[in-house]
Structures are given as structure tokens and as C-alpha cells.
Amino acid sequence: MQIRSTTRFLSQFTMGKDVAGREFLSLVTKATYDFPEEPGGRPRRARVQRPLILADEYAGPPGLSPPLWETDFGFRKRACDVIAQGAAYAPGGQPAERVRVGLRVGDWVKQFDVVGPRQWRTLGPSITATRPFPFTRLAFGYDTAFGGPDRSWQGDQPPVYADNPYGLGYAAARSGSRIDGLDLPLTEDPADPVTSPFGAHRPMALGPMPRVLPQRARLGGTYDDHWKDNVFPFLPADFDEAYYQAAPPDQQIPFPAPGTPVVIVGLTPRGREEFRLPDTTLPIRIFRGRQVPLDTTLSADTLVFDTEARQFTLSWRCDVPILRTIAEFSEAWVGPPSRALARALAAGKPYRPLAPLRRATAGDTAGDTAGDAA
């Protein structure tokens, strides 16, 4: 399938399946923008667009570390994922023991404290935390949020905090002196400070929700002997498409409108970033020969902030049922069609670009801005 884009954003297509086993063409487009230099300024389209992510990328060894970025090819999304990765910066570059970080998109807000490194100390029967070590910059994520294995455990197979097996500060056994010197998490909810390793605190992070967390894993359905013997290789009947949402539930928002205000606090050396989202809608037209099975305008369903790079991305996705094979789709128009494209369609004639057009593959994007109707 040829992808004709008037946006210069990157698009790729693949195939997806629903629970019923029906096959679909799935098309994903991603746009990269730079934060504005002036407060309240307008984001600019990045000169170099970030490639689409084909598979989950991890902070460390896969399986032993949380995801840094999740694949862009989640099949469907019912809400917009808001995801951010970065570090906390002390105000004015002066060392601080604690920094409040926050992200606001429209009416949605999430904020929490990033706290300097601390350790548990045992004083007789009581357990306390040392004073935080001051910092000017401190990276954080699920691997530094509350949770992890019980590092005080002596023996094989230590207990693990199911809501975040990658974190810090958790202990299951009241092991007294063995807890002494263990690290606390670097993030905490101001309304629920981490005061004990034996608590059940919510991990505070902004990145993709690890797939192994119970609240996401249960959406994947049941893979038992019945599934293995009677359903494989298809999805189980109780698979919930909410599984495709990369963000945790508290970071899923309604699809943002163009011009939605964004405020980022404590996540860049400037202390505060403030701007409005660009156009979050994207016209899409997909052709099956002369037929047009999809002609619509999509809303962005994924908003990702890389605060260290001072960039964000918007992503759109759509799917169309496959009647026989994925090769039946001839082309896709991404963005408002050029005048030449519109003339060719109105005249019922094929479109010939003035420059040679590459055929889009799973790792390629074709674009054009001019052409002629034959």
C-alpha cells in the first residue's frame, strides 16, 4: 500500500486482529513537536521526526526492568494515553531534598513529589527514613517508585510487590535489622507518604504501565488449557481491548481538542513549560482500489512527553476490515489531500506524483505534496 502524506509525519501500517479473529489493516501516524522557547509559545514541528516504535523499549534488561517507551502499534485505544519520561529539576538549580513535579493537559492533572535518596533505619522496634539527600536533577520511573522485591529477604524467591515489581522500598517480612540500609523510593504521593516498608503505597510515575501489573495483566484475558486446546492462536474471549492502553487508568483522558493547554512543572531546568497543543485531528482516507472504505478525521489517542529532549509526540491510529488479504488496499491519504490529489479523485483518474513515489513498507513512509491527474 502506498501512503501519500501531506503532513511529513511518519506513518506505517500493519495487520491487527480483534477478539473474534477478524483481520484488519491498522495504520498508525506519529508527529513530533519541539517545546516552544518562549512561555506560552507555539510548539514547532520537529525537524527530525521520531520513528515509530516497533516493539517495547525498556529501561534495562527486558523482563527485569519497566518499559521506557511502549510500541506505537497498540491495535485500538478508547481514550488518549498521556505518558511522560524525564527527571525532576530543583528550582533555580539549587539543591533540594524534595521537588513537586506535575503535568497538566486540559482539565487533567497528575502531580507527586520526587524525593532525594533515602534509606530505612531501624531504631529498636521502630523503622524510620533518613533525611533525603539533596539533588539538582533526579531521574525517576517505575524502577524508583515504591515496590520491588523484598531486598531484606534471606533465601530464594523473595516476596515481590505485585503492583510494581521493579521499584524500591518494599519489604514483606518484618525482618528488623535486615531492613536497615535499604533504599526508599524516589517518588511518593504527597497525600500518602512512604513511612513504612510494609505499606501498600501506589507507585508514582508517569511512564507506560508495565504489562505485568495486575490491573493491566487481567485485561489480557485467560490463557488456560481451554484456550490452549480450543482457541489458540486467537485472543481469549475475555480479552479486553483496554489492554492496548499504554498509560495507567489515571493517565487516560478524553481525546484532546486542538489548542488544549499543557503545563509541565518541575521536569525541565526552566521549572515550568506552558503551551497549547497543535491540531490534534488528522484527516485519513484509505482506498481499496476505487472503493473508499474509510474517510474520516482521527483524534490523537496518544500524547507522549520526553521532557529531557523538550519534545512531545502525538499519535493517531485507525483500522479497516480486511476482506481477503492486506494487499487489497491500494493507498492511504494522510492529512488534507493536495489539490492534485483532490482533482484526481474528483475526476476518477489515477494520481501520478511529479517525483517518484516510494512504496511504503513496514519500515517506510511515502509522502508527496504535488502531482497530476492522468
Side-chain angles (χ1 to χ4, degrees), residues 275-290:
F275 53 87
R276 291 182 178 271
L277 292 179
D279 193 354
T280 55
T281 63
L282 183 69
I284 293 284
R285 188 175 289 171
I286 294 179
F287 293 82
R288 186 187 286 120
R290 292 287 185 179

Side-chain angles (χ1 to χ4, degrees), residues 332-352:
W333 293 1
V334 178
S338 65
R339 286 180 294 177
L341 280 170
R343 286 198 305 268
L345 181 66
K349 296 181 178 180
Y351 173 78
R352 292 179 183 169

Side-chain angles (χ1 to χ4, degrees), residues 90-349:
Q94 299 300 311
E97 296 180 354
R98 180 182 298 263
V99 172
R100 181 69 53 86
V101 300
L103 181 60
R104 182 187 186 105
V105 180
D107 295 330
W108 171 84
V109 178
K110 184 171 182 177
Q111 58 183 350
F112 50 83
D113 287 346
V114 178
V115 187
R118 301 170 288 171
Q119 293 183 336
W120 292 118
R121 287 289 184 265
T122 55
L123 300 173
S126 64
I127 299 174
T128 62
T130 61
R131 185 171 178 175
F133 189 83
F135 66 91
T136 56
R137 175 189 175 276
L138 190 60
F140 63 89
Y142 277 98
D143 52 349
T144 62
F146 182 78
D150 183 350
R151 293 176 173 84
S152 70
W153 189 263
Q154 294 182 343
D156 297 332
Q157 297 182 337
V160 175
Y161 191 65
D163 285 347
N164 182 23
Y166 310 108
L168 299 171
Y170 167 73
R174 299 181 181 273
S175 52
S177 61
R178 294 201 301 271
I179 294 174
D180 198 87
L182 295 183
D183 292 330
L184 269 76
L186 301 183
T187 60
E188 63 182 24
D189 185 344
D192 181 26
V194 179
T195 58
S196 168
F198 313 120
H201 303 285
R202 185 161 67 101
M204 302 305 296
L206 293 169
M209 179 169 57
R211 297 179 187 271
V212 299
L213 268 57
Q215 60 266 43
R216 186 174 188 185
R218 68 172 64 101
L219 299 173
T222 303
Y223 298 84
D224 54 12
D225 288 339
H226 169 74
W227 173 82
K228 182 176 66 175
D229 296 337
N230 302 294
V231 181
F232 175 84
F234 302 105
L235 293 169
D238 59 347
F239 179 87
D240 189 332
E241 290 187 346
Y243 178 82
Y244 294 124
Q245 302 284 162
D250 68 337
Q251 291 173 220
Q252 298 174 23
I253 67 173
F255 300 127
T260 296
V262 172
V263 179
I264 301 170
V265 176
L267 293 172
T268 65
R270 299 184 177 200
R272 184 182 178 93
E273 307 279 352
E274 189 170 358
F275 53 87
R276 291 182 178 271
L277 292 179
D279 193 354
T280 55
T281 63
L282 183 69
I284 293 284
R285 188 175 289 171
I286 294 179
F287 293 82
R288 186 187 286 120
R290 292 287 185 179
Q291 297 179 340
V292 184
L294 183 69
D295 185 359
T296 189
T297 298
L298 304 177
S299 295
D301 62 20
T302 308
L303 174 59
V304 177
F305 297 92
D306 183 345
T307 57
E308 291 291 271
R310 300 188 72 249
Q311 288 187 327
F312 68 92
T313 63
L314 291 167
S315 299
W316 300 263
R317 77 200 62 244
C318 62
D319 57 79
V320 183
I322 295 175
L323 301 183
R324 290 180 180 157
T325 70
I326 198 170
E328 69 197 32
F329 296 99
S330 51
E331 60 184 4
W333 293 1
V334 178
S338 65
R339 286 180 294 177
L341 280 170
R343 286 198 305 268
L345 181 66
K349 296 181 178 180

Side-chain angles (χ1 to χ4, degrees), residues 351-356 368 370-372:
Y351 173 78
R352 292 179 183 169
L354 296 180
D368 68 282
D372 291 320

